[in-house]
Amino acid sequence: MTQPFLWKDVPSSDELFLYAPPFGFRGLEHKVEELLNQLPDSGSVPPLGLGPDACQRCVVVGNGGVLRGLELGPLIDQYDVIIRLNSGPLGEFSGDVGNRTSIRMSYPEGSPLYWVDTDPHALFVAVVYKGVDISWTSAMVNKRSVSLWDWMFFWQKVPDRIPLEPHQFRLLNPHVIRETALDLLKYPPPTGGLWGRSQKVPTIGVSALDLASLLCDEVSLAGFGYNLSQEGAPLHYYDQLPMSAMLQQRSHSVDKETGLLRALIAGGAVADLTGGVHCSFCS
């Protein structure tokens, strides 16, 4: 079984450094060791949700516009582990998306510029897509500024502070990304240990699904599904960005991911609470 997070007291396998991010940490051995030394030991943190001996239910809350107006917030809050993605806000949207957060899974450019989770038990799970993401995560854990050199490698503004304590940070095992890409989506492996520009990468949503399968016995999705035939429909529940914006994405394969999700939902392995991918409760 894949360990979903990396810990300083659990030895790292050589496989961890075979590939560059996001498949591994090749060339980043020192930075990874430095970051892990700032994080807690695996045995010093409380169990996530109900703990490993209970039947645990996960919901991965996407940011899809399909969530708007469904008032699923109270249902979402009943799950044992609630995984949220990137900067998806709560607050005024809590009626549709809930108030509780177990995990906010993100990378620097996707993280909320202003922290939105009031749940005292919330964890930030850092996903590393490039080397500078490790440096940024270290800066957030240590509550220090990101270096001017590192700022040059971000493609949009990133937070300069995540108001959590060190024991609330986790580093995602890149094997979760690798497993999602190679085993679930059947993407070809990268060549030469490098992640090429033409290589497809999984969205953080599908990667979160794989993470949820490692943490829970039952997995549900909410706010997933891209209907590219409705180009004017809202892409997110919290803004007016149209669905057509996904057509500009070159690093993700929407068709491949939709096919995977439909197969999992139709087969009963995963439940779709909003019916945005495969609606079993629609007429």
Side-chain angles (χ1 to χ4, degrees), residues 21 28 38 47 101 113 118 160 173 211 219 226 236:
L28 300 169
Q38 300 160 8
T101 300
L113 294 177
T118 57
D160 55 11
N173 188 340
L211 171 63
V219 178
Y226 298 119
H236 302 132

Side-chain angles (χ1 to χ4, degrees), residues 23-277:
F23 272 2
F25 292 139
R26 184 174 183 176
L28 300 169
E29 291 85 346
H30 176 69
K31 286 188 174 183
V32 170
E33 181 182 6
E34 185 179 81
L35 173 58
L36 291 179
N37 283 333
Q38 300 160 8
L39 302 181
D41 292 331
S42 60
S44 65
V45 295
L48 191 63
L50 299 175
D53 298 326
C55 183
Q56 190 143 272
R57 299 165 65 238
C58 270
V59 60
V60 181
V61 184
N63 295 328
V66 69
L67 274 165
R68 189 181 297 177
L70 293 185
E71 299 183 357
L72 286 181
L75 174 63
I76 289 171
D77 282 341
Q78 292 177 23
Y79 279 79
D80 304 311
V81 176
I82 301 170
I83 302 176
R84 302 190 186 276
L85 310 177
N86 293 331
S87 60
L90 308 182
E92 63 181 293
F93 306 100
S94 61
D96 291 329
V97 301
N99 287 307
R100 292 183 49 234
T101 300
S102 307
I103 286 174
R104 185 165 290 275
M105 181 174 171
S106 189
Y107 58 102
E109 291 91 339
S111 300
L113 294 177
Y114 305 99
W115 193 248
V116 295
D117 296 296
T118 57
D119 192 326
H121 305 294
L123 302 177
F124 183 85
V125 172
V127 185
V128 174
Y129 287 108
K130 53 192 180 302
V132 72
D133 295 355
I134 289 274
S135 302
W136 176 85
T137 305
S138 291
M140 297 302 100
V141 173
N142 284 313
K143 296 181 171 54
R144 57 177 170 78
S145 300
V146 178
S147 73
L148 292 176
W149 172 256
D150 289 339
W151 279 110
M152 298 172 58
F153 294 93
F154 298 121
W155 50 268
Q156 71 176 24
K157 185 174 174 57
V158 302
D160 55 11
R161 184 170 179 265
I162 299 290
L164 299 177
E165 297 304 314
H167 70 271
Q168 293 175 276
F169 285 84
R170 301 286 184 273
L171 179 60
L172 185 73
N173 188 340
H175 184 73
V176 173
I177 305 292
R178 191 162 67 246
E179 185 175 69
T180 304
L182 305 188
D183 297 340
L184 296 180
L185 294 169
K186 307 300 182 183
Y187 291 157
T191 58
L194 294 176
W195 186 260
R197 290 186 175 221
S198 61
Q199 182 78 46
K200 297 293 185 184
V201 300
T203 62
I204 202 165
V206 173
S207 301
L209 170 65
D210 195 29
L211 171 63
S213 73
L214 299 173
L215 298 173
C216 289
D217 304 283
E218 296 180 10
V219 178
S220 297
L221 304 176
F224 276 67
Y226 298 119
N227 188 346
L228 298 181
S229 65
Q230 299 179 357
E231 294 187 11
L235 179 61
H236 302 132
Y237 68 84
Y238 52 84
D239 62 23
Q240 301 303 316
L241 197 65
M243 191 71 65
S244 58
M246 277 305 294
L247 297 173
Q248 302 171 17
Q249 292 286 342
R250 294 291 180 262
S251 60
H252 306 308
S253 175
V254 172
D255 291 340
K256 271 251 186 185
E257 294 197 1
T258 300
L260 169 65
L261 294 177
R262 281 180 179 160
L264 291 172
I265 295 164
V270 174
D272 184 1
L273 301 182
T274 45
V277 179

